[in-house]
Amino acid sequence: MVITLDEPSHLQVTFDGRVRRYLRTVCDDAASEVQCFTPALTTAISRFAAPAGTYYLFVEPERDEPAPVVAHVRITPANAACNNGEDDDGDGLVDAFDPGCRDAFDADETDRAEPPPAPTAWMTTPMARCAPPTPR
């Protein structure tokens, strides 16, 4: 897989299944590897603040894994709101400390919608037991 970044970016690739992964900056030069993982370590490759340029991702399924391999690619600008050291939504919290940030790749620090209200009393009160009907 060829991945081209036009600007410094955070790059994350996750895989469905166990695979060996190699990320290079030169296709046919193993010495240019910037990351290499075996399946036992993780199911993803993450490169924070990767410089602009072209990257080559090589994937090898494990012997017991069926082909094809499914890869999920996520690219966000290196100055994403949740990784820039600033309070982008004005709530006094920054990056990892802001509940609006799912992770460092999140480009929006805005807090999510409020959780639903707690159940009301009628929802939590046990049902009253009724006496059996009186025979006629």
Side-chain angles (χ1 to χ4, degrees), residues 40-112:
L41 298 175
T42 180
T43 59
I45 275 189
S46 294
R47 184 103 169 117
F48 289 92
T54 301
Y55 293 84
Y56 301 89
L57 178 62
F58 296 86
V59 179
E60 298 173 2
E62 283 293 291
R63 283 179 244 163
D64 59 342
E65 289 291 317
V69 173
V70 176
H72 307 275
V73 179
R74 186 175 176 193
I75 300 170
T76 56
N79 63 352
C82 290
N83 193 31
N84 64 0
E86 297 178 19
D87 177 17
D88 297 287
D89 62 354
D91 64 359
L93 302 170
V94 176
D95 299 343
F97 298 103
D98 193 312
C101 291
R102 290 184 304 270
D103 54 35
F105 289 96
D106 195 343
D108 184 2
E109 222 177 72
T110 305
D111 296 339
R112 306 301 179 253

Side-chain angles (χ1 to χ4, degrees), residues 1 13-23 37 45 56-62 68-71:
M1 173 186 297
V13 184
T14 56
F15 301 91
D16 293 348
R18 298 178 324 135
V19 296
R20 295 181 186 278
R21 304 158 309 282
Y22 310 91
L23 187 64
F37 291 103
I45 275 189
Y56 301 89
L57 178 62
F58 296 86
V59 179
E60 298 173 2
E62 283 293 291
V69 173
V70 176

